[in-house]
Amino acid sequence: MNKFIFVSGGVCSSLGKGVAASSMAALLESRGLNVRMVKCDPYINVNAGTMSPYTHGEVYVTDDGAETDLDLGNYARFTSVPLSRANSITTGQVYESVIRKEREGRYLGRCVQVIPHITDEIKARIQAVIDGAPDNDIVIVEIGGTVGDIECIPFLEAARQLIMESGRTNAISVHLTLIPIVAEGELKTKPTQHSVKAMQEMGIQPDVLICRAPVLLDEATRRKIALFTNIDNDAVFTCRDIDDTIYEIPQMFYEQKLDQVVLKKLGIEARHAELAQWHSVMERFKSRKGTVKIGVVGKYMDLHDAYKSVYEAFFHAGLECGVEVELVKIDSSRLEEEQPDQVMAAAAASSAASSAASAADGNEGINGILVPGGFGPRGIAGMVNAAAWARKNKIPFLGISLGMHVMTIDWARNVLGWETADSTEFNPDTKYPVVSLIAEQTDVKNYSGTIRLGKGVSVAEPDTLLLKAYGEKTITERHRHRFEFSNMYRKEMKDSGLVLSGFSADGSLVDCIEWPRSGEFGHPWGVGAMFHPEFKSRPTAAAPLFRDFIAAAKSNKGL
Ligand code: GLN
């Protein structure tokens, strides 16, 4: 019998429902249970692929090429749950398939309605995840949005039905709310009371409450909340605002016995929790020494979530290299208007780590530059200038997807002297299309779609930074891009010193490039990859390229 945990949120958005659900899943896994996770997104987009990272945050890509919500990235970082297209359900997908079935006449003349047709479709999709995992013990279903939103209603209704059908010992509701401090340090429980009322109006009595609060809730406050919300005293928990890192949340929940209460409610006998990996994350976190400054030169700089997995991967790499990674966000348009030397110096000086305390520990400039993935022409010239600056100044550089394109354009323009070299994404008529669409490259076969999406195998060449990072020739990472390094320039690029360090499994595409480590253009560490290593990075195992990039930045700093 499968057990369900439905995670919903109230009061407001951005309370960290995904992280809370993931931390709970991590604890259940630590007790030897097999867990699956499903995210329900109330938006009408079929998937997150078409949504701007500015407003919605990063598009997380799964092995099977689904473009999903960034919460799936949280699941992947905190747990070992397998994730695929099936684990992300959107209103758009649900309506799309119900309408298709209606057109095919599959509802036999009935009037097609939200209840039962839309809710049945949601339930069938959740059931499909369970059916695909016979070894599964618990499925955690996170319902995006906030209770009270119109969009959430069909998902909450489906949850209500599943709770009713499964029985309360097999399906529980975990509700996350906010306890603000309004005046004079007083914790306010009223919004939480209202939020639980809104859940009750939907027919769902939450079994467990997780309250996001600035401090750990005291016993009296917990009792008060329990009384007003019809929830057991021992089932009100705090998700305290973290001081340091989100990876302390599993331990925070464990100390409050959240997992034990959840398992008791589900009638599952609690096995011993093996938390060694989370302890080691926190130990490594606390024993980091010194700071490296990484300039991130991208387009979506204002919203942290836009490069969520990238920033997390840096944190993981810092844990592995024993150093704090300070990210200095640099708007690439500044590198078009001002001298790169000045922009970089100003960025380094503006960083928090430039305080007197850290000034003693080495080179105070930028210790590494990252150009992350992206789409569209805006800011590209600035990114190319950033790559040129890092190359000439021997600053470690990592280019991801678009970042590798930028590295290629810099090499073509500034080393080969092809001033107008470009990607056909930005200039379709360029005389030197050093990056172009797969379809524009005549000698490439076997790529049916126009976008490489999801899991792909790359093969590393001998004696490369790429091979050193992964420790083996065969690399499996995830892609999400249309444009490729142009094969027709392979020879000129190589002859001028650029290292073509990784190829697609059939050899037809250049997947990774590197700046040479010796000779006229000798550089300590400059790597570009068409895949996105950040998607598979975990606090317990940093993405190899991020790890080695941070190690190189550490050397640059003199640590
Ligand atoms: N815009 C580029 C492409 O489509 C790069 C995409 C990316 O950075 N993921 O190929």
Side-chain angles (χ1 to χ4, degrees):
M1 179 75 185
N2 252 284
K3 307 272 181 175
F4 294 97
I5 302 176
F6 293 97
V7 179
S8 55
V11 181
C12 62
S13 59
S14 304
L15 294 181
K17 215 168 27 202
V19 169
S22 306
S23 299
M24 184 167 62
L27 289 181
L28 299 175
E29 279 195 337
S30 81
R31 291 182 182 275
L33 293 159
N34 282 323
V35 180
R36 293 293 188 281
M37 299 190 79
V38 178
K39 175 79 194 283
C40 296
D41 273 305
Y43 45 74
I44 299 172
N45 304 60
V46 170
N47 64 40
T50 54
M51 276 189 272
S52 161
Y54 275 130
T55 47
H56 191 72
E58 140 192 301
V59 175
Y60 184 80
V61 178
T62 56
D63 269 349
D64 64 344
E67 297 176 291
T68 72
D69 191 80
L70 53 77
D71 269 321
L72 265 73
N74 282 322
Y75 303 167
R77 288 184 280 274
F78 278 86
T79 72
S80 56
V81 299
L83 294 168
S84 71
R85 191 173 299 280
N87 301 75
S88 166
I89 305 175
T90 67
T91 298
Q93 286 165 20
V94 170
Y95 272 83
E96 193 182 44
S97 68
V98 168
I99 291 169
R100 188 173 16 94
K101 284 183 199 159
E102 187 274 332
R103 291 290 84 190
E104 289 166 359
R106 306 244 304 262
Y107 295 110
L108 307 173
R110 284 192 294 269
C111 170
V112 180
Q113 294 175 305
V114 173
I115 305 172
H117 302 104
I118 294 296
T119 46
D120 278 353
E121 180 67 30
I122 295 170
K123 283 156 64 182
R125 283 169 181 258
I126 295 171
Q127 190 58 45
V129 173
I130 297 168
D131 292 345
D135 60 336
N136 189 52
D137 298 309
I138 301 177
V139 54
I140 298 179
V141 181
E142 181 191 342
I143 299 171
T146 307
V147 60
D149 291 352
I150 290 174
E151 291 88 348
C152 291
I153 293 175
F155 289 105
L156 288 169
E157 170 58 17
R160 186 194 68 79
Q161 292 176 18
L162 282 168
I163 293 172
M164 288 303 293
E165 289 159 11
S166 316
R168 291 216 73 104
T169 49
N170 293 318
I172 63 169
S173 154
V174 173
H175 191 58
L176 183 76
T177 68
L178 176 72
I179 306 274
I181 289 187
V182 176
E184 316 226 330
E186 205 185 328
L187 293 163
K188 291 294 182 190
T189 66
K190 194 77 79 193
T192 294
Q193 296 173 35
H194 284 298
S195 179
V196 173
K197 277 216 180 71
M199 286 294 287
Q200 290 163 344
E201 275 166 23
M202 294 299 312
I204 302 177
Q205 166 64 52
D207 300 278
V208 170
L209 207 55
I210 302 178
C211 303
R212 172 79 186 264
V215 293
L216 205 62
L217 298 183
D218 56 80
E219 190 55 29
T221 310
R222 287 176 57 205
R223 277 178 187 281
K224 180 177 170 190
I225 295 169
L227 181 68
F228 278 101
T229 56
N230 215 13
I231 290 173
D232 294 339
N233 278 336
D234 69 350
V236 179
F237 301 93
T238 315
C239 184
R240 183 177 41 74
D241 294 352
I242 41 128
D243 310 319
D244 299 318
T245 154
I246 50 170
Y247 300 111
E248 69 189 68
I249 295 177
Q251 177 70 24
M252 187 195 294
F253 285 175
Y254 175 76
E255 283 163 10
Q256 299 176 59
K257 300 196 171 55
L258 170 75
D259 51 331
Q260 287 189 38
V261 170
V262 163
L263 290 176
K264 199 168 118 208
K265 288 191 184 294
L266 287 172
I268 298 176
E269 206 166 315
R271 278 170 268 181
H272 168 74
E274 184 45 82
L275 292 176
Q277 58 164 332
W278 295 106
H279 293 155
S280 114
V281 166
M282 290 314 293
E283 266 158 37
R284 282 183 292 146
F285 172 74
K286 286 180 188 134
S287 57
R288 298 174 307 169
K289 284 195 182 64
T291 305
V292 293
K293 275 180 230 169
I294 302 299
V296 181
V297 184
K299 179 170 156 185
Y300 317 114
M301 293 285 75
D302 293 335
L303 183 73
H304 186 82
D305 276 354
Y307 300 117
K308 176 103 179 141
S309 294
V310 166
Y311 298 150
E312 290 299 314
F314 274 128
F315 182 80
H316 307 156
L319 290 181
E320 231 153 286
C321 298
V323 72
E324 184 177 345
V325 179
E326 196 202 351
L327 299 170
V328 185
K329 297 175 184 170
I330 302 169
D331 185 342
S332 61
S333 62
R334 280 194 62 192
L335 286 155
E336 292 169 19
E337 291 143 17
E338 298 165 52
Q339 283 302 318
D341 274 340
Q342 278 158 19
V343 177
M344 298 300 180
S350 72
S351 87
S354 307
S355 63
S358 79
D361 69 22
N363 165 12
E364 271 311 290
I366 294 282
N367 307 117
I369 292 283
L370 171 97
V371 176
F375 292 81
R378 196 171 62 77
I380 298 295
M383 295 177 205
V384 174
N385 289 344
W389 179 84
R391 183 174 51 75
K392 287 183 206 144
N393 291 285
K394 320 273 182 226
I395 305 292
F397 180 91
L398 177 59
I400 298 177
S401 206
L402 177 72
M404 170 167 149
H405 293 170
V406 158
M407 231 175 134
T408 309
I409 295 168
D410 160 57
W411 191 272
R413 287 185 191 168
N414 301 318
V415 174
L416 286 163
W418 303 342
E419 271 168 43
T420 55
D422 217 327
S423 162
T424 54
E425 181 178 7
F426 318 126
N427 178 5
D429 304 319
T430 172
K431 188 171 162 217
Y432 300 99
V434 290
V435 174
S436 55
L437 281 175
I438 304 177
E440 292 166 347
Q441 302 193 23
T442 48
D443 52 344
V444 176
K445 298 175 264 322
N446 297 331
Y447 284 93
S448 46
T450 55
I451 184 159
R452 268 170 97 191
L453 200 50
K455 183 165 120 178
V457 172
S458 307
V459 182
E461 290 290 290
D463 189 31
T464 55
L465 293 168
L466 184 69
L467 182 61
K468 195 158 164 257
Y470 284 87
E472 54 187 333
K473 258 172 64 181
T474 307
I475 296 167
T476 311
E477 293 282 11
R478 297 182 200 152
H479 296 248
R480 182 178 182 243
H481 56 91
R482 289 195 171 79
F483 294 81
E484 300 282 352
F485 181 101
S486 290
N487 284 321
M488 61 182 183
Y489 297 110
R490 273 193 199 190
K491 188 173 179 327
E492 282 105 323
M493 293 282 185
K494 217 170 136 185
D495 289 351
S496 57
L498 189 72
V499 181
L500 311 185
S501 57
F503 296 90
S504 56
D506 65 359
S508 67
L509 298 168
V510 178
D511 277 350
C512 303
I513 58 173
E514 296 177 14
W515 286 331
R517 277 173 284 158
S518 56
E520 188 189 349
F521 298 104
H523 186 281
W525 204 96
V527 175
M530 282 319 299
F531 49 72
H532 288 265
E534 68 271 24
F535 291 140
K536 285 171 68 175
S537 189
R538 297 167 52 92
T540 45
L545 284 178
F546 277 82
R547 180 200 60 216
D548 284 9
F549 173 52
I550 292 304
K554 210 175 146 181
S555 309
N556 174 277
K557 172 95 177 205
L559 286 177

